[in-house]
């Protein structure tokens, strides 16, 4: 399999196009991905381009070899990971350069969508703007701030705190970071 034969469609589908039909009993495919949930299953179905509606499930050659286990997540309360911001300082002055601050984060090891909030706070912990409130499942997420407060006015220059919070049945989990707004 050549890298040019790989193609990703959406968040979870990987298609591999082979130049010739496989006539042996096995094919090994190596790829790299980000795993966000313990016991992630990688199911495989095989198809033939001449019969696009016909798919056959593929069984793993070795028992459970298509399941990735993340022992460090078992029993861990870490559900928000890889929290980062595209730029530590941004300048929402309308020039088209660095006009918003994008917060990136992963939600780990949840089995269904959970309530998520992304807030911008000033240094007194007052919410300046709620960027997002909704339900998200596991995966990479991106929420961007245009430098405006909840009323739509441009916030004053300064240092702000961004907070990502997940609500679970028994607790709330939050992670925070800082960013600067300048003109």
């Amino acid at each position: 399999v050549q890298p040019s034969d790989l193609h990703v469609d959406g968040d979870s589908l990987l298609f591999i196009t082979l130049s010739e039909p496989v006539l042996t009993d096995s094919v090994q495919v190596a790829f790299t991905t980000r795993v966000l949930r313990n016991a992630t299953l990688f199911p495989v179905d095989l198809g033939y381009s001449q019969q696009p509606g016909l798919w056959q499930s593929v069984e793993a050659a070795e028992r459970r070899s298509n399941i990735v286990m993340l022992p460090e997540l078992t029993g861990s309360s870490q559900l928000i990971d890889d929290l980062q911001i595209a730029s530590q300082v941004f300048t929402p002055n309308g020039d088209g350069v660095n006009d918003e601050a994008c917060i990136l984060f992963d939600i780990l090891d949840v089995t269904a969508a959970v309530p998520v909030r992304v807030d911008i706070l000033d240094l007194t912990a007052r919410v300046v703007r709620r960027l997002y409130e909704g339900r998200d499942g596991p995966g990479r997420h991106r929420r961007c701030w245009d430098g405006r407060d909840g009323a739509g006015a441009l916030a004053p220059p300064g240092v702000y705190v961004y907070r990502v919070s997940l609500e679970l049945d028994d607790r709330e989990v939050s992670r925070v970071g800082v960013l600067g707004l300048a003109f």
Side-chain angles (χ1 to χ4, degrees):
V1 177
Q2 300 298 317
S4 61
D5 296 329
L6 302 177
H7 134 171
V8 176
D9 186 18
D11 288 340
S12 61
L13 300 175
L14 171 67
F15 290 93
I16 301 171
T17 304
L18 302 176
S19 57
E20 299 178 24
V22 176
L23 302 175
T24 60
D25 66 348
S26 65
V27 172
Q28 183 175 356
V29 177
F31 64 97
T32 303
T33 188
R34 182 183 298 234
V35 176
L36 300 170
R37 188 174 1 179
N38 200 15
T40 298
L41 173 66
F42 288 90
V44 177
D45 292 309
L46 185 64
Y48 183 50
S49 61
Q50 301 302 315
Q51 296 177 323
L54 183 62
W55 292 92
Q56 177 181 342
S57 294
V58 175
E59 296 295 323
E62 297 176 23
R63 184 176 180 270
R64 299 175 57 105
S65 64
N66 60 340
I67 298 175
V68 174
M69 299 297 289
L70 301 171
E72 64 274 7
L73 283 182
T74 304
S76 170
S77 63
Q78 180 177 342
L79 299 175
I80 303 169
D81 192 31
D82 202 13
L83 179 65
Q84 54 184 273
I85 191 150
S87 176
Q88 292 293 325
V89 177
F90 76 114
T91 56
N93 56 12
D95 67 356
V97 178
N98 206 20
D99 280 337
E100 58 182 17
C102 290
I103 301 160
L104 307 166
F105 59 96
D106 293 334
I107 297 178
L108 304 176
D109 207 25
V110 295
T111 56
V114 296
V116 176
R117 279 189 328 275
V118 180
D119 292 315
I120 303 295
L121 302 102
D122 63 18
L123 294 179
T124 66
R126 180 183 63 87
V127 175
V128 173
R129 171 109 179 254
R130 174 147 296 156
L131 291 183
Y132 177 76
E133 185 168 27
R135 298 181 70 84
D136 287 329
R140 187 77 168 153
H141 300 277
R142 174 187 172 115
R143 303 290 177 227
C144 297
W145 183 37
D146 61 2
R148 300 196 176 278
D149 64 18
L154 206 52
V159 176
Y160 292 86
V161 175
Y162 56 93
R163 177 179 62 202
V164 176
S165 303
L166 305 181
E167 280 186 42
L168 305 171
D169 292 336
D170 59 344
R171 68 189 187 283
E172 181 175 296
V173 176
S174 295
R175 298 269 314 267
V176 297
V178 296
L179 64 101
L181 187 153
F183 295 117

